[in-house]
Amino acid sequence: MKNNDWKDRLGVMYSTNPDFQYNTGDTEEEDTLPKEKQALRISLDKRNRGGKMVTLITGFRGTSEDLTALGKLLKVKCGVGGSAKDGEIIIQGDLRAKVLDILRKEGYSKSRTI
């Protein structure tokens, strides 16, 4: 079956350039670094959150699937809600010490609290 990708190119008109390559704008994700080399920073944040405190884990280098898996692990172990997107994990509440202990037990040795 022929692969029709015309729906992905709806905003492009005809090009007379024979070497034209359509760029979809998709960027490839970088490979996930090993746990020992991840430099995670744990901080407390309450800006733009209606005065509520959240624990913010930043500095994750890897795919969005691995980020989501780590976020889910932290949410389950802490017993709270949160989210994982755009390279950061948000855990509801001030759980910096607990998150640091969980990350160290999981093998993230370069984790530090700010």
Side-chain angles (χ1 to χ4, degrees), residues 36-51:
E36 307 83 38
K37 296 188 180 194
Q38 292 278 359
L40 300 177
R41 291 175 297 283
I42 304 165
S43 61
L44 185 67
D45 188 28
K46 57 182 174 179
R47 282 179 277 172
N48 299 329
R49 303 187 194 285

Side-chain angles (χ1 to χ4, degrees), residues 6-113:
W6 64 271
K7 291 181 181 178
D8 297 332
R9 298 181 283 124
L10 286 177
V12 176
M13 300 306 246
Y14 181 76
S15 174
T16 58
N17 184 358
D19 298 326
F20 178 75
Q21 294 291 325
Y22 181 73
N23 183 7
T24 59
D26 295 336
T27 58
E28 291 191 25
E29 293 184 89
E30 60 182 283
D31 293 334
T32 303
L33 289 176
K35 292 180 180 181
E36 307 83 38
K37 296 188 180 194
Q38 292 278 359
L40 300 177
R41 291 175 297 283
I42 304 165
S43 61
L44 185 67
D45 188 28
K46 57 182 174 179
R47 282 179 277 172
N48 299 329
R49 303 187 194 285
K52 297 183 181 187
M53 295 185 292
V54 296
T55 304
L56 191 63
I57 300 103
T58 57
F60 185 83
R61 305 280 309 261
T63 62
S64 59
E65 292 86 19
D66 292 336
L67 178 71
T68 305
L70 179 60
K72 181 170 178 150
L73 172 85
L74 290 173
K75 291 188 297 184
V76 167
K77 296 260 185 177
C78 292
V80 296
S83 66
K85 59 184 173 186
D86 299 331
E88 64 184 22
I89 301 169
I90 299 171
I91 303 293
Q92 294 175 352
D94 184 7
L95 299 169
R96 290 176 288 182
K98 190 171 186 177
V99 167
L100 182 63
D101 289 341
I102 293 169
L103 288 174
R104 292 239 167 107
K105 287 178 186 174
E106 290 295 319
Y108 292 90
S109 59
K110 291 188 179 180
S111 302
R112 63 186 173 103
T113 303

